[in-house]
């Protein structure tokens, strides 16, 4: 069953295509550097910080978590948007419940294999559309798009969705991620054109 999350824009604006964006037919790849290498045997995903139970998953354990498939739109801050991407993965609230978020947690920092990080307030992550995705359009997530695991954030510019994500840190105060330290917006709402911070 594919859930349709493409109506999410109604919470933020009248138009599905956010202002200043153009729709592309393909799904471009955009990375700060190259695609990092990893091996299935040693890959692990860690949850730590302001949680009750710090936990660690290998690939099989992660894929055994309850999953959902959603049709979502994808908005890059550089101006392109791709509609109707079908992602399969674990929702952020599901993962947060596994670890048990502590009362003093306020922010989240995502970590990735290429050294990338990105931050969001916890409240902006606790939405079913925020997915740890390992499949795209029915296939394993291609490595250039972040395989084996990436985050997608359809309510935000796509730099909030870490490709090759290998860890989530729950924080008690805000901490800037890779692009956020370089002048991009911490809040990144596409319908408000929050491109720069
Ligand atoms: N680890 C990592 N995640 C990342 C990036 C990156 O360079 N490294 N780039 C971000 C940006 S700016 C965008 S637009 C999307 C691009 O995802 P795509 O290559 O699947 O289109 O990934 C985001 N997540
Ligand atoms: Mo981007």
């Amino acid at each position: 069953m594919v859930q349709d999350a493409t109506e999410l824009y109604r919470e933020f604006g009248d138009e599905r295509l956010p202002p200043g964006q153009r729709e592309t037919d393909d799904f471009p790849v955009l990375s700060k550097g190259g695609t990092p290498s990893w091996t299935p045997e040693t890959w692990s995903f860690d949850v730590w910080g302001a949680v009750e139970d710090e936990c660690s998953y290998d690939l099989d354990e992660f894929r055994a978590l309850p999953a959902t498939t959603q049709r979502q739109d994808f908005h890059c801050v550089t101006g392109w948007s791709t509609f109707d991407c079908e992602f399969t993965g674990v929702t952020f609230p599901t993962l947060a419940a596994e670890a048990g978020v502590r009362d003093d947690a306020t922010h989240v920092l995502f970590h990735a294999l290429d050294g990338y990080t990105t931050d969001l307030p916890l409240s902006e992550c606790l939405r079913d559309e925020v997915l740890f995705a390992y499949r795209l359009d029915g296939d394993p997530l291609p490595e250039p798009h972040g395989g084996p695991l990436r985050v997608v954030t359809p309510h935000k510019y796509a730099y909030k969705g870490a490709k090759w994500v290998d860890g989530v840190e729950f924080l008690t105060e805000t901490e800037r991620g890779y692009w956020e330290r370089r002048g991009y917006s911490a809040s990144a709402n596409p319908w408000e054109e929050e491109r720069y911070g």
Side-chain angles (χ1 to χ4, degrees), residues 111-133:
H111 296 260
L113 289 174
D114 60 342
Y116 189 84
T117 53
T118 185
D119 63 278
L120 275 174
L122 175 60
S123 59
E124 303 266 31
C125 296
L126 289 172
R127 306 177 53 110
D128 283 336
E129 302 85 10
V130 178
L131 289 182
F132 295 91

Side-chain angles (χ1 to χ4, degrees), residues 30 74-78 80 157-159 179:
L30 206 145
F74 191 98
H75 310 292
C76 173
V77 70
T78 62
W80 52 268
Y157 288 121
Y159 63 87
W179 282 123

